[in-house]
Amino acid sequence: MSDITVRDLRFPFEEDFDLNVPDEALSLMLSSMALSMTMPYLEPYLIRTMGVAIPKLKNPKLAEDARHFSRQEANHYRNHANLNRRIRTSFSPAGAEALGRIESELDADYRRFSREKPLRWNLAYAEGFEAMTCAGALAMAEFETFKDPYRNPGGEIWGWHLAEEIEHRTVAFGVFQELVGSYLYRLVFGSRSQYHFLSYTGRFFRCMAEDLGREVGMPRTPVESRAIRLFFRTLSPGYDPAKLEIPEHVSEMLAAFSERAKKKAS
Ligand SMILES: [Fe+2]
Ligand SMILES: [Fe+2]
């Protein structure tokens, strides 16, 4: 049985965002919003990749974890798609259109990767993304940034998503190890995937800032410095997400979200 819990939650996004805030706060908000914009394209791509990988897995526990991973990612991107509808309305019609053009390009990239790239390449992408995200999520958990309203435009979706990213951190790594298993391949193509992903979050970020007529850079706070240090550890040949130290309150957060999902279902 998998230790990864699927929580069918939906978060309401009714409030408009106030982007008329000082530079540092805006930088945090736009950074989260840029991340959200990628999710309805990235996460379905991860699910498609797992769909190809799962029948090839010999380890039944890992296959079950991979199914739960995909169901968690499906819940994530559906919520982010709703959040993104709200995000687009915070910008001018021309700004929303420009965001839409970047979204279409990103979607086309991921569909092409699923169609044309070998499974090992797509698995290295998945693991590269998951390792980087887990490093960021852990840094945020250590600093308890889930309470910072500027890092959480849209509210609880961020705490829920990042806690579940930590919860399923071993899956993409485990699937890559079983089906590919090459450290060098993970390093080279994982880094390639991180570059691809970050180039899009950068484009979303700049597009939003430009539409607002604001000159802000990507956030550089102690949380980002910590995330970068944790990220560098993922590049080591000895990296194993199962061995990462997880702050205690992450399991408390997950338990609270599990309760909510159970209540909603009953
Ligand atoms: Fe996710
Ligand atoms: Fe994930």
Side-chain angles (χ1 to χ4, degrees), residues 212-229:
L212 297 171
R214 300 278 297 270
E215 274 188 41
V216 286
M218 297 287 259
R220 297 261 164 82
T221 69
V223 184
E224 277 71 36
S225 304
R226 177 66 179 150
I228 290 167
R229 275 202 299 282

Side-chain angles (χ1 to χ4, degrees), residues 9 11 75-76 79 156-164 257:
L9 288 167
F11 297 89
N75 278 323
H76 297 167
N79 277 291
E156 284 182 307
I157 182 176
W158 294 101
W160 165 71
H161 191 167
L162 294 179
E164 288 197 349
F257 284 121

Side-chain angles (χ1 to χ4, degrees), residues 43 73 76 161 165:
E43 291 183 315
E73 299 293 23
H76 297 167
H161 191 167
E165 288 301 319

Side-chain angles (χ1 to χ4, degrees), residues 46 69 73 129-130 165 168:
L46 300 180
F69 168 99
E73 299 293 23
F129 171 76
E130 289 287 314
E165 288 301 319
H168 73 218

Side-chain angles (χ1 to χ4, degrees), residues 2 4-6 47 50-51 53-57 59-74 168 171 175:
S2 176
I4 295 164
T5 306
V6 179
I47 295 168
M50 285 301 165
I54 288 167
K56 299 180 192 301
L57 294 171
N59 176 344
K61 163 81 164 59
L62 184 58
E64 185 63 2
D65 283 350
R67 277 189 280 273
H68 284 220
F69 168 99
S70 292
R71 288 175 59 199
Q72 282 195 338
E73 299 293 23
H168 73 218
V171 178
V175 175

